[in-house]
Amino acid sequence: MKDLLARFLGRSKPDADASGETSQHAWPGSLSDWTWTGILFLFLTTTLVQGFEIPTGSMEGTLLVGDRLLVNKQAYAKSDALSRVILPYREPERGDIIVFRFPLDLNQAYVKRVIGVPGDRIRLENRKLILNGQPVDEPYVSKRLAGSEPYRDNFPKYAEMSSTPLAQRGLLMHELYVRNGELVVPEGHYFAMGDNRDNSLDSRYWGLVPRENIMGKPLLVYWSYGTPYTDDYPEIASSKTVRWARMFRTIPSFPTGWQRGQGNE
């Protein structure tokens, strides 16, 4: 065991020379040791986890601008029967926070919360989420702006009155999947919104998230630097600081109370 540890640290097993004394390779070890260390690091950072920084306030109340996250890239990554035992995955569920490639620009990564999975019926009534005919308690939602906005607060009604223009994908979503005043989420797609519900550019405006765009699930905040957060929206401090209290904070899902497969009413 000591020999194995020594090799991992870049030291070979002590050898006796002609004088009877022992010699060791000097730190940091051989090139091959560092090569394998680099390969392991690249495997972990490109295959298992990835860093991600929150760039906007659409998830405020849960994730803040300047939060740095570790994202589990294997959470939703399909695998074969063998690797599934080692790296289990599942499909995204309601309440999950996901990182995904933005459908309008695949070079950008967005973070939102899954509100609807395939088969769900969704609408908003005066900011209240109605899922499959039932109102949903959403304690994670931050409503920080005064006043009302017809489309934002009553999706999918009043699309023509939206103060934020809908992207072509958003208009197509209305045309294909809105039935009887509700959005019916199609197979292979997810409906996602920000927790800062009043100030979030999300599926209401640019459409559904394709399953293949989903990159992973945030695990924790490993670093946070920015303005101190306050619920009093007009009094956010202008100076930035390290938010020590957010370090290593985990990012759990929030089940809506509906299980996958429970039918539409």
Side-chain angles (χ1 to χ4, degrees):
M1 183 66 181
K2 291 181 178 179
D3 292 345
L4 181 60
L5 179 60
R7 289 186 60 81
F8 180 78
L9 295 175
R11 296 192 292 265
S12 64
K13 183 178 178 180
D15 297 317
D17 59 20
S19 65
E21 296 179 355
T22 60
S23 63
Q24 291 182 334
H25 289 293
W27 178 263
S30 67
L31 178 61
S32 62
D33 292 322
W34 281 109
T35 299
W36 281 110
T37 300
I39 291 174
L40 178 61
F41 176 78
L42 288 174
F43 172 77
L44 292 175
T45 56
T46 60
T47 305
L48 301 182
V49 297
Q50 180 176 337
F52 179 81
E53 180 178 354
I54 300 297
T56 71
S58 68
M59 289 294 292
E60 278 187 346
T62 304
L63 299 171
L64 307 183
V65 176
D67 280 352
R68 272 74 165 180
L69 314 177
L70 286 181
V71 177
N72 178 4
K73 297 175 65 176
Q74 292 297 319
Y76 309 121
K78 294 186 178 181
S79 52
D80 56 36
L82 179 60
S83 59
R84 191 175 304 163
V85 177
I86 304 173
L87 300 171
Y89 80 96
R90 62 176 175 81
E91 292 299 317
E93 296 178 355
R94 305 179 195 93
D96 284 358
I97 296 177
I98 58 173
V99 175
F100 56 93
R101 290 186 295 274
F102 183 38
L104 300 185
D105 182 357
L106 297 180
N107 293 318
Q108 294 188 50
Y110 271 32
V111 56
K112 305 288 182 187
R113 190 182 296 273
V114 174
I115 301 301
V117 301
D120 281 345
R121 294 180 289 112
I122 296 169
R123 72 179 189 273
L124 297 176
E125 291 183 359
N126 296 320
R127 300 185 178 184
K128 184 70 175 179
L129 173 64
I130 309 298
L131 174 65
N132 297 326
Q134 299 294 325
V136 176
D137 181 29
E138 296 185 285
Y140 46 78
V141 167
S142 174
K143 300 172 181 176
R144 309 184 70 191
L145 298 181
S148 62
E149 205 274 332
Y151 177 70
R152 180 196 69 191
D153 301 338
N154 296 278
F155 172 88
K157 294 172 63 176
Y158 310 121
E160 69 283 357
M161 300 174 63
S162 175
S163 60
T164 300
L166 275 63
Q168 187 62 37
R169 292 183 80 258
L171 294 172
L172 186 62
M173 174 183 69
H174 277 262
E175 180 181 344
L176 296 178
Y177 305 120
V178 172
R179 298 289 183 271
N180 300 318
E182 296 180 311
L183 172 72
V184 181
V185 183
E187 286 297 322
H189 294 79
Y190 295 82
F191 186 83
M193 289 196 287
D195 288 356
N196 187 4
R197 194 62 56 79
D198 292 346
N199 190 24
S200 173
L201 189 64
D202 50 39
S203 285
R204 290 172 291 184
Y205 302 98
W206 42 255
L208 299 157
V209 179
R211 174 64 177 86
E212 60 269 20
N213 285 33
I214 298 177
M215 301 165 58
K217 184 177 187 297
L219 291 173
L220 55 81
V221 177
Y222 70 87
W223 180 255
S224 185
Y225 180 79
T227 56
Y229 179 78
T230 172
D231 288 329
D232 192 357
Y233 191 79
E235 297 182 5
I236 293 180
S238 59
S239 59
K240 294 184 178 182
T241 184
V242 177
R243 306 186 191 105
W244 296 105
R246 296 187 64 78
M247 301 298 189
F248 305 111
R249 177 178 296 190
T250 58
I251 307 170
S253 300
F254 191 95
T256 63
W258 286 79
Q259 300 299 318
R260 174 179 289 276
Q262 285 191 308
N264 300 330
E265 297 182 356

